Amino acid sequence: MNDGWRIDFELMRLIFWSSKRETKRHLWPSVAPPLLTIDGIGTRPPGCWKMLTVAVCMAFLACLQAQELQGHVSIILLGATGDLAKKYLWQGLFQLYLDEVGKGYSFSFHGAALTSTKQGQELIAKVLESLSCPEDMEPGRCAELKGQFQRLSQYRHLKTNEDYMALSKDIEAQLQHEGLREAGRIFYFSVPPFAYADIARSINSSCRPGPGAWLRVVLEKPFGHDYVSAQQLATELGSFFQEEEMYRVDHYLGKQAVAQILPFRDQNRKALDGLWNRHHVERVEIIMKETVDAEGRTSFYEEYGVIRDVLQNHLTEVLTLVAMELPYNISSSKAVLQHKLQAFQALRGLQKGSAVLGQYQAYSRQVRREQQKPDSFYSLTPTFAGILVHVDNLRWEGVPFILMSGKALDERVGYIRILFRNQAYCAQNEKRWVVDQSQCLPRQIIFYIGHGELGSPAVLVSRNLFRPSLPSKSWKEVEGRPGLHLFGRPISDYYAYSPVREQDAYSVLISHIFHGRKDSFITTENLLASWVFWTPLLDSLAHEVPRLYPGGAENGYLLDFEFSGAQLRFCQQQLEQLVPGPGSAPMPSNFQVLTAKYRESPLISAWPEELISKLADDIEATAVRAVRRFGEFHLALSGGSSPVPLLEQLATGHFGFPWAQTHLWLVDERCVPLWDPESNFQGLQAHLLRYIRVPYYNIHPMPVHLHQRLCAEEDQGAQMYASEISALVTNSSFDLVLLGMGTDGHTASLFPQSPAGLDGTQPVVLTRSPYKPHQRMSLSLPLINRARKVAVLVMGRVKREITMLVSRAGHEPKKWPISGVLPSSGQLVWYMDYEAFLG
């Protein structure tokens, strides 16, 4: 043994261990290492050995110190005695400890709740005793680590600001006593959202970690009830925490099959680049079915229902993972979140016809029992929903995304299924088709979330598509299971892979929180984008009566639905017809389409669906006659929400419409860029133009955006539009003008407060609306009254009062602009639904 080596190692050992503090018993055993001896090494100059020794030891010390300096993490579980904590969160924290022990961090776990200290300690002790280790862990090692975790975990009562201050002081005292550097603190909010603000205020004022340490606050859904409430909650939390400190949990993003979507797309880019688009994908199904009902949770369900509970969050998040453009680097959280936001922004707005709703028959009875409601109470809360979603971009245009979830269904299962178009014809008999060669067999990729026939997470790819690449350390190929069929094909038709080790979603997400992986969580921006998408549909469905279903296997075909264009509908009509009792609201079948007079002009009245169908038929008939007579048809359309069902009806149900000879004009336009969601032209594009074939030179948007300005008088946009009408429309007489009527009696963008356009010689005028955006461009009353036919569409109970007022008014356009509509040589026809006409 060279003496230089012995001296230097002894010196380094003394330096190293004298610098150690008692804190390191969390990281290494508290015994000194033996002296190192090196035999069989030839003699070298002592100075050389000393230099080499110091260099090696310093490198070794640097590694240990870097590991050691990662520091101490305090994890505070709020609501530690609740159901979620007992079922998933404590186990997830234990799994985090198992994964990270010995890697340079020390931990303390604080279970907090409003429960008294003694009762809380007893509850936590029971939970900790029930924790389990992975199956492949040796029992002795499991018992050792479980004991350590139990010793590191404690219960404390947290309620007041003083309680949080005391917690912070206790953490600081522990750090000081054990000589630890604080790495950070995690607060997991397993509490109702109404408690968030008070807890956040206390953490921010009294329990933040010191300088250099991070804070991570974990929030559980629901994140609001609609856009307004979500924005209020986000604003409130944003006053206490920075965006990078907040981790909103959607546990579906921790499901192994869901978490594999982006890595799968990334690892199989070459195979998927040509397939993952509208040219090859027939449809995408995102499904979560449950066999359980809402018993015991009806108070929650009455407030949220199935759409808010499952579709707005879990299934929408999955949709964005499938539909988003794939970042160049999927390990970049920033890039992933940015691409998800772009996917949200590309979602086409939902209409009432985009959804079908159901409710299992026992639900209202359960609500009455659990919430002490009277026997006459019947809930409108849906427990089943199917939603048709479209993504408006070049990759996915026209591809239906079907989202479905429900309770009391026939099986428990969740999956994402991408079904590819099959345009092959196989000349040989089906019996001779070879699974991995025949293009006539179904081609699909399935991310199987769990339960169902397979019983576990899986990724499946049809053998006639390609052999996928998955990480071999975490996914293994599934052995054949004779007799098992999925989506009509034997399991042998797929390349099938399952996780090497199944992990609970919360364990996955808690690990991601610890490591600061933000891409697995919901940012404020993405949360609000989701509510922007869902809130209008939820508002429109608030008073819809869901279809009743018996539950379980007895549902039969009752909940099957089909889609056409942008519309969803149940395949079967209701088997039972309700007979209206005394005081019951009339049903559509109680009325025919009524014809009468309103303001001395023809009136057509019906329920909304029949009214829209009638108006669409009349417009098509007018178009056909005009084309036969003049060779072209000039149609001017108003904006707003009322015409949307009409546009969709024309787009999807009128295949004989002479679109090639039709010119489309706007009656009015908001002074916003044409691509703005507020633009009437954008509404026309979203609900009609994308579905029909109109020559682009026959489409005439109003020129509100010129020279990078909006509706500037000096740009003369109104005069330009008037000149275009004069040049293309004979006598400036449209074949048909479609108008609406506002609750203040305005029509087009002609308002009582803005007399422009009510008379005079200007065909097109700039006006001012009392509603935002205030600036508008509109056809004038004199130009509208030159039309061969004017149709006024009035729908909804909110129009009942103005309908009554206008019915008694004379020709008073300055007070009621709609009263000035009277074609000089054409026809005026009113189309009103029963709610607007009868109330």
Side-chain angles (χ1 to χ4, degrees):
M1 173 70 185
N2 184 292
D3 290 339
W5 277 89
R6 179 178 292 279
I7 292 169
D8 291 330
F9 270 114
E10 179 65 13
L11 175 64
M12 295 308 299
R13 186 184 77 86
L14 290 172
I15 293 171
F16 178 69
W17 285 97
S18 65
S19 69
K20 304 298 284 176
R21 298 172 116 169
E22 198 178 337
T23 85
K24 309 314 179 255
R25 65 174 181 268
H26 289 269
L27 304 173
W28 294 284
S30 54
V31 293
L35 294 180
L36 297 177
T37 60
I38 301 178
D39 296 320
I41 299 179
T43 59
R44 295 291 171 95
C48 176
W49 284 118
K50 286 185 178 182
M51 291 173 63
L52 179 60
T53 301
V54 171
V56 171
C57 289
M58 290 302 293
F60 177 65
L61 276 175
C63 291
L64 292 176
Q65 288 170 344
Q67 185 182 59
E68 172 190 345
L69 288 175
Q70 292 178 92
H72 183 82
V73 178
S74 304
I75 301 179
I76 301 92
L77 176 54
L78 301 156
T81 58
D83 288 341
L84 180 65
K86 289 188 285 188
K87 286 178 69 176
Y88 299 110
L89 300 183
W90 279 110
Q91 182 64 47
L93 294 175
F94 181 45
Q95 186 61 53
L96 175 70
Y97 182 72
L98 296 180
D99 293 340
E100 300 298 329
V101 67
K103 293 183 180 179
Y105 284 100
S106 59
F107 293 89
S108 58
F109 301 91
H110 305 266
L114 301 179
T115 310
S116 67
T117 301
K118 182 180 179 182
Q119 186 181 3
Q121 289 172 340
E122 292 172 354
L123 289 170
I124 296 301
K126 289 180 182 178
V127 174
L128 296 178
E129 192 56 42
S130 68
L131 299 176
S132 60
C133 297
E135 292 180 1
D136 57 356
M137 180 175 285
E138 191 270 325
R141 178 62 173 162
C142 174
E144 177 187 358
L145 293 174
K146 185 174 175 180
Q148 291 177 10
F149 182 78
Q150 289 172 329
R151 287 190 293 275
L152 294 171
S153 302
Q154 57 178 291
Y155 175 81
R156 64 189 305 142
H157 178 83
L158 277 186
K159 183 176 182 180
T160 65
N161 197 53
E162 290 71 25
D163 293 335
Y164 284 88
M165 192 177 297
L167 169 62
S168 188
K169 288 180 179 178
D170 288 349
I171 293 173
E172 291 164 7
Q174 179 191 1
L175 295 170
Q176 186 174 8
H177 175 69
E178 300 186 2
L180 297 171
R181 183 189 68 83
E182 185 168 27
R185 299 179 189 180
I186 296 174
F187 286 86
Y188 200 119
F189 285 44
S190 180
V191 295
F194 66 76
Y196 282 4
D198 289 340
I199 295 173
R201 187 178 294 105
S202 294
I203 293 171
N204 184 56
S205 64
S206 307
C207 209
R208 276 186 170 273
W214 45 256
L215 172 67
R216 291 175 189 151
V217 175
V218 188
L219 306 165
E220 278 283 348
K221 77 175 185 76
F223 309 120
H225 186 265
D226 54 17
Y227 175 76
V228 172
S229 60
Q231 190 176 46
Q232 289 172 344
L233 182 59
T235 301
E236 198 163 25
L237 290 171
S239 67
F240 302 118
F241 306 125
Q242 298 174 28
E243 179 64 32
E244 60 268 23
E245 293 175 332
M246 290 186 283
Y247 289 70
R248 291 183 184 85
V249 169
D250 185 324
H251 80 275
Y252 242 57
L253 294 178
K255 300 278 188 182
Q256 286 174 287
V258 174
Q260 187 58 31
I261 293 174
L262 287 187
F264 177 88
R265 291 180 59 190
D266 184 52
Q267 289 179 272
N268 296 278
R269 279 181 193 258
K270 188 174 181 181
L272 290 173
D273 271 351
L275 291 172
W276 207 260
N277 56 61
R278 61 191 168 100
H279 301 298
H280 295 278
V281 176
E282 179 181 314
R283 70 187 189 198
V284 178
E285 300 169 1
I286 304 173
I287 309 299
M288 189 187 114
K289 298 169 66 177
E290 296 183 272
T291 55
V292 298
D293 60 20
E295 189 169 15
R297 296 184 68 220
T298 59
S299 59
F300 170 85
Y301 230 72
E302 273 298 277
E303 185 175 358
Y304 290 94
V306 68
I307 296 179
R308 291 180 174 91
D309 185 37
V310 178
L311 284 86
Q312 178 272 328
N313 36 70
H314 304 328
L315 302 195
T316 307
E317 285 296 317
V318 171
L319 185 155
T320 62
L321 294 177
V322 174
M324 65 184 271
E325 292 300 307
L326 197 60
Y328 177 76
N329 178 13
I330 67 164
S331 62
S332 166
S333 293
K334 183 177 180 181
V336 169
L337 293 170
Q338 184 62 38
H339 282 72
K340 282 179 71 174
L341 180 60
Q342 291 169 2
F344 272 120
Q345 293 168 342
L347 298 178
R348 185 189 307 168
L350 297 170
Q351 305 296 325
K352 188 185 292 187
S354 306
V356 291
L357 305 178
Q359 182 192 98
Y360 64 85
Q361 288 175 346
Y363 178 75
S364 286
R365 184 171 67 251
Q366 291 171 346
V367 175
R368 291 194 295 268
R369 183 176 66 249
E370 292 180 16
Q371 300 185 46
Q372 289 80 51
K373 299 283 186 181
D375 292 343
S376 59
F377 174 82
Y378 284 90
S379 173
L380 295 180
T381 301
T383 61
F384 169 90
I387 309 289
L388 179 62
V389 178
H390 284 91
V391 182
D392 285 341
N393 59 26
L394 287 175
R395 182 180 293 278
W396 296 111
E397 185 177 7
V399 176
F401 284 72
I402 300 166
L403 279 58
M404 186 273 277
S405 184
K407 289 188 172 294
L409 300 181
D410 62 316
E411 63 174 337
R412 182 186 183 189
V413 69
Y415 61 83
I416 304 102
R417 182 186 182 215
I418 298 97
L419 182 64
F420 292 86
R421 299 184 192 278
N422 196 332
Q423 298 173 325
Y425 171 77
C426 295
Q428 280 193 307
N429 184 282
E430 182 180 351
K431 295 177 182 178
R432 294 187 173 88
W433 293 353
V434 180
V435 168
D436 56 356
Q437 296 177 14
S438 174
Q439 293 304 303
C440 288
L441 289 169
R443 302 187 304 159
Q444 48 198 333
I445 296 174
I446 301 153
F447 297 94
Y448 202 87
I449 297 170
H451 305 290
E453 294 289 334
L454 270 181
S456 61
V459 176
L460 304 103
V461 178
S462 295
R463 289 182 179 271
N464 57 353
L465 268 176
F466 60 90
R467 176 180 277 277
S469 172
L470 280 89
S472 58
K473 289 184 179 180
S474 52
W475 290 81
K476 62 183 179 182
E477 197 156 1
V478 176
E479 298 177 1
R481 293 169 61 179
L484 178 61
H485 283 64
L486 286 176
F487 304 103
R489 303 304 307 171
I491 192 73
S492 57
D493 276 16
Y494 303 96
Y495 295 111
Y497 298 82
S498 65
V500 171
R501 178 164 70 95
E502 285 192 42
Q503 288 183 284
D504 169 68
Y506 281 98
S507 296
V508 172
L509 292 177
I510 287 171
S511 175
H512 290 183
I513 294 162
F514 177 74
H515 290 288
R517 282 189 50 183
K518 290 282 286 184
D519 54 302
S520 300
F521 301 90
I522 317 301
T523 64
T524 300
E525 203 170 18
N526 285 355
L527 171 68
L528 296 180
S530 177
W531 278 118
V532 165
F533 175 66
W534 283 102
T535 298
L537 177 69
L538 289 164
D539 289 344
S540 71
L541 296 175
H543 303 293
E544 284 294 296
V545 178
R547 169 172 287 197
L548 294 177
Y549 59 95
E554 294 180 23
N555 293 334
Y557 304 110
L558 197 59
L559 297 178
D560 293 355
F561 54 85
E562 58 189 3
F563 55 90
S564 174
Q567 301 288 308
L568 269 191
R569 58 179 171 268
F570 285 116
C571 297
Q572 289 189 349
Q573 295 300 313
Q574 276 282 34
L575 300 180
E576 297 181 22
Q577 197 70 32
L578 296 178
V579 179
S584 298
M587 303 296 288
S589 57
N590 298 130
F591 293 93
Q592 300 290 330
V593 174
L594 302 180
T595 56
K597 290 279 186 180
Y598 180 80
R599 289 182 57 83
E600 300 182 1
S601 294
L603 166 69
I604 295 172
S605 189
W607 289 98
E609 191 173 335
E610 287 85 358
L611 184 69
I612 291 297
S613 179
K614 171 63 175 168
L615 177 53
D617 289 343
D618 290 352
I619 293 175
E620 180 175 353
T622 304
V624 170
R625 285 195 300 269
V627 170
R628 284 176 183 168
R629 186 176 179 186
F630 307 113
E632 58 187 10
F633 173 57
H634 289 272
L635 172 63
L637 296 167
S638 288
S641 58
S642 293
V644 167
L646 172 66
L647 298 180
E648 292 177 345
Q649 177 73 19
L650 289 172
T652 59
H654 288 261
F655 301 106
F657 202 105
W659 292 115
Q661 293 81 36
T662 296
H663 285 257
L664 292 171
W665 302 83
L666 287 179
V667 168
D668 62 331
E669 180 59 280
R670 297 173 171 93
C671 292
V672 295
L674 296 184
W675 44 260
D676 192 290
E678 295 277 352
S679 165
N680 289 342
F681 181 78
Q682 183 62 249
L684 187 66
Q685 163 70 15
H687 302 292
L688 180 65
L689 295 180
R690 67 174 58 254
Y691 302 112
I692 60 176
R693 295 181 179 177
V694 177
Y696 71 91
Y697 42 78
N698 283 7
I699 302 169
H700 309 283
M702 281 185 159
V704 295
H705 194 192
L706 299 171
H707 307 117
Q708 298 184 341
R709 295 182 294 198
L710 293 168
C711 294
E713 292 273 5
E714 54 268 35
D715 291 334
Q716 297 190 327
Q719 291 88 328
M720 288 174 57
Y721 205 57
S723 298
E724 189 176 4
I725 293 169
S726 178
L728 297 176
V729 183
T730 304
N731 297 323
S732 295
S733 298
F734 292 106
D735 296 301
L736 193 148
V737 174
L738 175 69
L739 299 176
M741 178 171 68
T743 55
D744 58 355
H746 84 266
T747 191
S749 280
L750 305 172
F751 297 91
Q753 302 88 341
S754 178
L758 299 178
D759 50 27
T761 58
Q762 283 185 277
V764 184
V765 295
L766 294 177
T767 68
R768 185 165 181 81
S769 165
Y771 317 107
K772 291 184 179 180
H774 298 298
Q775 285 185 294
R776 307 287 178 95
M777 185 180 289
S778 177
L779 303 186
S780 67
L781 268 182
L783 180 61
I784 290 170
N785 285 332
R786 294 176 69 115
R788 293 186 173 90
K789 181 175 182 178
V790 176
V792 182
L793 177 62
V794 187
M795 298 179 68
R797 187 168 296 175
V798 295
K799 303 292 178 68
R800 172 61 183 146
E801 185 176 351
I802 189 63
T803 300
M804 293 177 61
L805 290 171
V806 170
S807 70
R808 297 191 290 264
H811 184 79
E812 303 176 75
K814 290 187 178 180
K815 184 176 183 181
W816 316 107
I818 188 68
S819 71
V821 176
L822 189 62
S824 53
S825 58
Q827 183 188 28
L828 170 63
V829 181
W830 296 83
Y831 293 81
M832 293 187 188
D833 70 359
Y834 287 138
E835 288 194 333
F837 183 48
L838 301 173

